[in-house]
Amino acid sequence: MVYDFQTQSFLSDGVLSPIELIRRAHHNGYEAIAITDHVGMGGVGSLLASLSEDCRIAREEWGIVAIPGVELTHLPPNRIAEAAARARDAGAGLVLVHGETPVEPVLPGTNHASASCPEVDVLGHPGLITDEDAALAAENGVYLELSTRRGHSLANGHVALAAKRMGAKLLVNSDAHAPEDLLTAERSLTAALGAGLSREDARIATNNNPRALLEVLTNRLK
């Protein structure tokens, strides 16, 4: 089974329509996919209305768990909690925040604000996250991402170590923008092992943790 909780369609900076992205993921053997297009405080409602319809059709026709979500991107840290609540109210099945990746000018404090917010489900590519923020993520049930995307993946080893020390839960996501970015089960496992996880911890990051998060998310879709 393949689980992927960060992908983008052409509604932000991806190249595929939402329904084509889901279909290609289904063909790759995905059990679940979240489409998390980039958004700020504005446009949340219209984005989620569009994503929700295609995700609903995919769930009904193909049986894949397709989840409409958002990636809150480059927001002022003090607005993240407000934006996450707004996204939830607008029907987001998953709220992901664009973390402090080493390859983009994300505002300092983004990781801290996201890890402190129970409305956030996943902190994407959190870069050189501190132990304090990893501990907050563990406390608030925020999953930390190991990314397979070029650039974002530079800090995967650091993220894995911080999560291990502080008890935070890890996931592997593709941050797919194009078909060739999508995961396979082998690629997901390789990313986890490449981040320095033991084989058992890699299994937890690619199977147990995604399944636990998916249970929460599917309850929101009912």
Side-chain angles (χ1 to χ4, degrees), residues 140-221:
N140 289 299
V142 178
Y143 289 78
L144 302 182
E145 177 186 272
L146 300 175
S147 178
T148 63
R149 188 159 184 80
R150 183 177 179 179
H152 294 331
S153 62
L154 288 172
N156 278 352
H158 174 87
V159 174
L161 285 172
K164 182 74 171 177
R165 283 193 300 267
M166 309 313 295
K169 293 182 178 180
L170 292 166
L171 296 167
V172 175
N173 289 330
S174 70
D175 195 3
H177 289 62
E180 59 269 22
D181 299 332
L182 289 168
L183 296 173
T184 62
E186 181 181 8
R187 186 178 184 191
S188 183
L189 181 62
T190 298
L193 294 172
L197 297 184
S198 67
R199 188 159 291 273
E200 176 60 17
D201 285 342
R203 184 187 64 80
I204 291 170
T206 58
N207 184 49
N208 296 34
N209 289 346
R211 288 168 64 91
L213 177 58
L214 188 59
E215 184 176 353
V216 173
L217 302 183
T218 52
N219 285 333
R220 291 181 192 159
L221 298 173

Side-chain angles (χ1 to χ4, degrees), residues 13-207:
D13 60 346
V15 302
L16 301 176
S17 71
I19 197 69
E20 184 179 359
L21 177 58
I22 299 167
R23 173 60 194 140
R24 287 177 178 270
H26 182 247
H27 181 72
N28 269 33
Y30 274 49
E31 173 76 8
I33 181 173
I35 303 181
T36 54
D37 279 300
H38 298 282
V39 72
M41 293 293 288
V44 169
S46 58
L47 171 65
L48 286 166
S50 181
L51 289 179
S52 294
E53 182 67 6
D54 280 354
C55 287
R56 179 185 63 79
I57 290 170
R59 291 194 302 270
E60 292 175 357
E61 296 295 330
W62 302 326
I64 186 173
V65 184
I67 301 158
V70 295
E71 181 178 2
L72 301 175
T73 305
H74 290 276
L75 283 171
N78 66 327
R79 305 305 291 269
I80 286 172
E82 179 186 356
R86 183 179 296 186
R88 283 280 184 89
D89 289 344
L94 181 140
V95 176
L96 181 144
V97 177
H98 187 291
E100 295 179 40
T101 170
V103 293
E104 291 187 36
V106 181
L107 283 165
T110 295
N111 285 350
H112 185 79
S114 304
S116 302
C117 181
E119 296 294 314
V120 172
D121 298 299
V122 180
L123 177 54
H125 39 69
L128 300 178
I129 188 169
T130 65
D131 281 358
E132 177 191 1
D133 290 341
L136 282 170
E139 179 182 340
N140 289 299
V142 178
Y143 289 78
L144 302 182
E145 177 186 272
L146 300 175
S147 178
T148 63
R149 188 159 184 80
R150 183 177 179 179
H152 294 331
S153 62
L154 288 172
N156 278 352
H158 174 87
V159 174
L161 285 172
K164 182 74 171 177
R165 283 193 300 267
M166 309 313 295
K169 293 182 178 180
L170 292 166
L171 296 167
V172 175
N173 289 330
S174 70
D175 195 3
H177 289 62
E180 59 269 22
D181 299 332
L182 289 168
L183 296 173
T184 62
E186 181 181 8
R187 186 178 184 191
S188 183
L189 181 62
T190 298
L193 294 172
L197 297 184
S198 67
R199 188 159 291 273
E200 176 60 17
D201 285 342
R203 184 187 64 80
I204 291 170
T206 58
N207 184 49

